[in-house]
Amino acid sequence: MPVPDPGVLPASVDAPPTVPGGFVLPVPAPGGPAGFLVAYEREGAQPAGLAVVQHIATVAALRVAMVRNERETLRREGAETLAELLQEVLDPEAARRRLARHAIEGDTVLIVVRRTTDEALLRCLEDHPHLLLTWGEDRYVLGAPQLADRIGELPDVAAGMSRPFLPGAALRVAQREALWAVSKAVESGRPVIRYGDDSMGRWLPDDPAMLTALVEHVLGAVLRYDEAHDSQLLVSARTWMERDRRTETAAAALHIHPNTLAYRLRRFGALTDRDLASTGALAEVWLAIQAAGALGLTD
């Protein structure tokens, strides 16, 4: 059959169903028609009439409802599976079976997505195997590494991707990597950051206990001071270091006077007992700040 001319599609579902040579009927679905059924009478054949076309449209509507229900069930099951994986309550074999049900096999990544909606992600990832879980303001996506390229095409998005792992593996490390990467995406304005792209991130250990020990050893006193006094010593030091220790540039980014930033840096150095003019101390502090970011202790 020839493809119908789009001009035959009505502007409203209430439009008359008759068109030259046949009928056009909406296929009803929740929230509006799923589409339109176009039926042409074949030359030389006995016309079936509007009643038969209406019956076909009803059957199509039932099929659309079934498909949507199946997809919604799979999405809900996928979200539950991803939540259990993140909470590490599934054993590896059960996790692999569930992921196989969603056609997720081979190299897999965890992606944390910000600045978008569930609807936009579902449209973006349609027909690509994935699990999607909304957790606070973050969207967690589990699937093949290629999903990051599609997500990166969304407007104003910020996404962070973990290193690849095999289905069934624990997600503790992958979650930390993805959260660290998405924080870098937000800071840099880039749509997607892959963990390991940054040369500094590769020097951090994978073990959260080791990261915590590093942060406590170097930044513990600063974190407690910031919490007790509602101050921003850590943020100020990080901003200053991210801008290559240019005080005026960092002060402008923080919306404070350069003298205020200089005072905060002196206070930071006193609390950490480290001289920021020393290359060794600077490197240790910078690694500790990156570790704090990986643990979600900084904005």
Side-chain angles (χ1 to χ4, degrees), residues 196-269:
D197 285 354
D198 180 87
S199 59
M200 186 61 66
R202 71 186 63 178
W203 298 108
L204 295 175
D206 290 335
D207 187 356
M210 295 180 65
L211 290 172
T212 302
L214 172 61
V215 172
E216 174 58 30
H217 177 65
V218 179
L219 303 174
V222 173
L223 289 170
R224 287 186 286 274
Y225 183 91
D226 277 348
E227 183 177 4
H229 297 84
D230 194 25
S231 56
Q232 293 186 312
L233 296 184
L234 180 56
V235 171
S236 298
R238 186 192 69 188
T239 303
W240 177 70
M241 297 177 77
E242 286 175 342
R243 284 155 180 80
D244 298 325
R245 304 181 300 285
R246 293 192 292 267
T247 302
E248 290 190 1
T249 304
L254 292 165
H255 305 291
I256 60 176
H257 193 276
N259 290 342
T260 303
L261 177 56
Y263 166 78
R264 290 183 182 179
L265 293 174
R266 289 195 298 271
R267 188 68 180 137
F268 180 93

Side-chain angles (χ1 to χ4, degrees), residues 83-104:
E84 292 178 2
L85 287 170
L86 289 168
Q87 295 166 8
E88 298 188 350
V89 296
L90 282 179
D91 65 81
E93 186 56 38
R96 281 190 287 270
R97 287 197 302 269
R98 290 207 197 175
L99 292 176
R101 170 171 164 75
H102 293 272
I104 296 176

